mmCIF file of all heavy atoms in Angstrom:
data_model
loop_
_atom_site.group_PDB
_atom_site.id
_atom_site.type_symbol
_atom_site.label_atom_id
_atom_site.label_comp_id
_atom_site.label_asym_id
_atom_site.label_seq_id
_atom_site.Cartn_x
_atom_site.Cartn_y
_atom_site.Cartn_z
ATOM 1 N N VAL A 128 103.775 110.033 94.897
ATOM 2 C CA VAL A 128 104.735 109.163 94.309
ATOM 3 C C VAL A 128 104.762 107.730 95.083
ATOM 4 O O VAL A 128 104.847 107.689 96.334
ATOM 5 C CB VAL A 128 106.126 109.705 94.230
ATOM 6 C CG1 VAL A 128 107.088 108.685 93.523
ATOM 7 C CG2 VAL A 128 106.174 111.044 93.590
ATOM 8 N N VAL A 139 112.868 98.834 101.134
ATOM 9 C CA VAL A 139 111.816 99.643 101.715
ATOM 10 C C VAL A 139 112.485 100.865 102.425
ATOM 11 O O VAL A 139 112.094 102.005 102.264
ATOM 12 C CB VAL A 139 110.904 98.883 102.768
ATOM 13 C CG1 VAL A 139 109.959 99.765 103.450
ATOM 14 C CG2 VAL A 139 110.194 97.759 102.054
ATOM 15 N N GLU A 140 113.475 100.663 103.235
ATOM 16 C CA GLU A 140 114.237 101.692 103.890
ATOM 17 C C GLU A 140 114.885 102.575 102.851
ATOM 18 O O GLU A 140 114.888 103.728 102.983
ATOM 19 C CB GLU A 140 115.299 101.157 104.800
ATOM 20 C CG GLU A 140 114.673 100.598 106.097
ATOM 21 C CD GLU A 140 115.593 99.713 106.921
ATOM 22 O OE1 GLU A 140 116.710 99.426 106.397
ATOM 23 O OE2 GLU A 140 115.179 99.198 107.938
ATOM 24 N N ALA A 142 113.778 103.131 99.930
ATOM 25 C CA ALA A 142 112.721 103.975 99.284
ATOM 26 C C ALA A 142 112.373 105.167 100.144
ATOM 27 O O ALA A 142 112.193 106.374 99.612
ATOM 28 C CB ALA A 142 111.455 103.058 99.137
ATOM 29 N N LYS A 143 112.340 104.967 101.444
ATOM 30 C CA LYS A 143 112.089 106.099 102.364
ATOM 31 C C LYS A 143 113.181 107.197 102.212
ATOM 32 O O LYS A 143 112.890 108.404 102.159
ATOM 33 C CB LYS A 143 112.107 105.569 103.744
ATOM 34 C CG LYS A 143 111.833 106.552 104.833
ATOM 35 C CD LYS A 143 110.501 107.134 104.915
ATOM 36 C CE LYS A 143 110.231 108.112 106.046
ATOM 37 N NZ LYS A 143 108.910 108.748 105.921
ATOM 38 N N GLY A 146 112.702 109.574 99.526
ATOM 39 C CA GLY A 146 111.600 110.616 99.729
ATOM 40 C C GLY A 146 110.284 110.322 99.158
ATOM 41 O O GLY A 146 109.278 111.164 99.164
ATOM 42 N N THR A 147 110.078 108.972 98.845
ATOM 43 C CA THR A 147 108.728 108.648 98.271
ATOM 44 C C THR A 147 107.652 108.645 99.348
ATOM 45 O O THR A 147 107.911 108.574 100.510
ATOM 46 C CB THR A 147 108.771 107.195 97.626
ATOM 47 O OG1 THR A 147 107.661 106.988 96.890
ATOM 48 C CG2 THR A 147 109.003 106.116 98.672
ATOM 49 N N ASP A 148 106.373 108.833 98.838
ATOM 50 C CA ASP A 148 105.279 108.770 99.790
ATOM 51 C C ASP A 148 104.801 107.424 100.039
ATOM 52 O O ASP A 148 104.340 107.062 101.195
ATOM 53 C CB ASP A 148 104.061 109.602 99.065
ATOM 54 C CG ASP A 148 104.426 110.955 98.654
ATOM 55 O OD1 ASP A 148 104.649 111.803 99.541
ATOM 56 O OD2 ASP A 148 104.546 111.225 97.468
ATOM 57 N N ARG A 149 104.868 106.649 99.042
ATOM 58 C CA ARG A 149 104.448 105.196 99.211
ATOM 59 C C ARG A 149 105.416 104.274 98.503
ATOM 60 O O ARG A 149 106.228 104.645 97.646
ATOM 61 C CB ARG A 149 103.066 105.041 98.524
ATOM 62 C CG ARG A 149 101.900 105.659 99.238
ATOM 63 C CD ARG A 149 100.619 105.245 98.671
ATOM 64 N NE ARG A 149 99.534 106.060 99.353
ATOM 65 C CZ ARG A 149 98.263 105.826 98.983
ATOM 66 N NH1 ARG A 149 97.886 104.843 98.118
ATOM 67 N NH2 ARG A 149 97.292 106.611 99.590
ATOM 68 N N ILE A 150 105.287 102.925 98.787
ATOM 69 C CA ILE A 150 105.871 101.922 97.978
ATOM 70 C C ILE A 150 104.648 101.033 97.401
ATOM 71 O O ILE A 150 103.605 101.021 97.962
ATOM 72 C CB ILE A 150 106.737 101.052 98.856
ATOM 73 C CG1 ILE A 150 106.055 100.524 100.065
ATOM 74 C CG2 ILE A 150 108.123 101.691 99.129
ATOM 75 C CD1 ILE A 150 106.828 99.464 100.837
ATOM 76 N N ALA A 175 108.454 93.065 105.484
ATOM 77 C CA ALA A 175 108.674 94.320 104.821
ATOM 78 C C ALA A 175 107.617 95.457 105.131
ATOM 79 O O ALA A 175 107.898 96.595 105.261
ATOM 80 C CB ALA A 175 108.756 94.084 103.309
ATOM 81 N N ALA A 176 106.432 94.974 105.214
ATOM 82 C CA ALA A 176 105.298 95.865 105.527
ATOM 83 C C ALA A 176 105.399 96.511 106.924
ATOM 84 O O ALA A 176 105.155 97.722 107.204
ATOM 85 C CB ALA A 176 103.955 95.149 105.421
ATOM 86 N N LYS A 177 105.968 95.621 107.822
ATOM 87 C CA LYS A 177 106.176 96.073 109.211
ATOM 88 C C LYS A 177 107.153 97.312 109.131
ATOM 89 O O LYS A 177 106.967 98.279 109.788
ATOM 90 C CB LYS A 177 106.688 94.886 110.020
ATOM 91 C CG LYS A 177 106.838 95.309 111.451
ATOM 92 C CD LYS A 177 106.980 93.969 112.288
ATOM 93 C CE LYS A 177 107.142 94.221 113.867
ATOM 94 N NZ LYS A 177 108.399 94.722 114.164
ATOM 95 N N VAL A 178 108.201 97.133 108.467
ATOM 96 C CA VAL A 178 109.216 98.213 108.225
ATOM 97 C C VAL A 178 108.628 99.432 107.715
ATOM 98 O O VAL A 178 108.771 100.512 108.157
ATOM 99 C CB VAL A 178 110.404 97.710 107.455
ATOM 100 C CG1 VAL A 178 111.417 98.819 107.089
ATOM 101 C CG2 VAL A 178 111.156 96.560 108.151
ATOM 102 N N ALA A 179 107.913 99.207 106.541
ATOM 103 C CA ALA A 179 107.173 100.335 105.923
ATOM 104 C C ALA A 179 106.261 101.130 106.864
ATOM 105 O O ALA A 179 106.353 102.417 107.008
ATOM 106 C CB ALA A 179 106.519 99.947 104.684
ATOM 107 N N ASN A 180 105.501 100.361 107.703
ATOM 108 C CA ASN A 180 104.604 101.083 108.594
ATOM 109 C C ASN A 180 105.391 101.735 109.749
ATOM 110 O O ASN A 180 104.970 102.864 110.052
ATOM 111 C CB ASN A 180 103.670 99.959 109.305
ATOM 112 C CG ASN A 180 102.559 99.663 108.339
ATOM 113 O OD1 ASN A 180 101.996 100.464 107.622
ATOM 114 N ND2 ASN A 180 102.276 98.345 108.341
ATOM 115 N N GLU A 181 106.529 101.167 110.160
ATOM 116 C CA GLU A 181 107.281 101.840 111.194
ATOM 117 C C GLU A 181 107.906 103.085 110.760
ATOM 118 O O GLU A 181 108.125 104.060 111.506
ATOM 119 C CB GLU A 181 108.401 100.903 111.616
ATOM 120 C CG GLU A 181 107.913 99.827 112.624
ATOM 121 C CD GLU A 181 108.928 98.693 112.863
ATOM 122 O OE1 GLU A 181 110.044 98.769 112.377
ATOM 123 O OE2 GLU A 181 108.497 97.719 113.576
ATOM 124 N N ILE A 182 108.290 103.117 109.478
ATOM 125 C CA ILE A 182 109.059 104.419 109.002
ATOM 126 C C ILE A 182 108.016 105.310 108.268
ATOM 127 O O ILE A 182 108.431 106.348 107.676
ATOM 128 C CB ILE A 182 110.298 104.098 108.147
ATOM 129 C CG1 ILE A 182 109.890 103.221 106.950
ATOM 130 C CG2 ILE A 182 111.334 103.363 108.985
ATOM 131 C CD1 ILE A 182 111.055 102.851 106.025
ATOM 132 N N GLY A 183 106.782 105.036 108.254
ATOM 133 C CA GLY A 183 105.790 105.988 107.791
ATOM 134 C C GLY A 183 105.589 106.006 106.237
ATOM 135 O O GLY A 183 105.309 107.056 105.675
ATOM 136 N N LEU A 184 105.821 104.856 105.546
ATOM 137 C CA LEU A 184 105.604 104.833 104.180
ATOM 138 C C LEU A 184 104.244 104.197 103.912
ATOM 139 O O LEU A 184 103.909 103.109 104.577
ATOM 140 C CB LEU A 184 106.657 103.846 103.509
ATOM 141 C CG LEU A 184 108.030 104.509 103.199
ATOM 142 C CD1 LEU A 184 108.874 103.528 102.431
ATOM 143 C CD2 LEU A 184 107.765 105.778 102.261
ATOM 144 N N GLY A 185 103.439 104.691 103.077
ATOM 145 C CA GLY A 185 102.169 104.120 102.652
ATOM 146 C C GLY A 185 102.448 102.758 101.795
ATOM 147 O O GLY A 185 103.489 102.806 101.145
ATOM 148 N N ILE A 186 101.575 101.895 101.854
ATOM 149 C CA ILE A 186 101.775 100.576 101.223
ATOM 150 C C ILE A 186 100.748 100.359 100.088
ATOM 151 O O ILE A 186 99.505 100.317 100.389
ATOM 152 C CB ILE A 186 101.851 99.459 102.156
ATOM 153 C CG1 ILE A 186 102.908 99.569 103.220
ATOM 154 C CG2 ILE A 186 102.061 98.095 101.398
ATOM 155 C CD1 ILE A 186 102.880 98.556 104.330
ATOM 156 N N GLY A 206 97.849 97.943 106.943
ATOM 157 C CA GLY A 206 98.117 99.250 106.354
ATOM 158 C C GLY A 206 98.089 99.165 104.802
ATOM 159 O O GLY A 206 98.634 100.152 104.175
ATOM 160 N N LEU A 208 97.093 100.088 101.383
ATOM 161 C CA LEU A 208 96.239 101.175 101.056
ATOM 162 C C LEU A 208 95.491 100.951 99.728
ATOM 163 O O LEU A 208 94.408 101.385 99.485
ATOM 164 C CB LEU A 208 97.090 102.538 100.993
ATOM 165 C CG LEU A 208 97.551 102.938 102.210
ATOM 166 C CD1 LEU A 208 98.615 104.131 102.043
ATOM 167 C CD2 LEU A 208 96.527 103.431 103.238
#
Side-chain angles (χ1 to χ4, degrees):
V128 183
V139 174
E140 282 162 0
K143 178 73 178 176
T147 191
D148 304 291
R149 292 190 186 181
I150 49 168
K177 188 167 179 286
V178 172
N180 283 321
E181 280 165 6
I182 60 181
L184 278 181
I186 303 173
L208 297 171

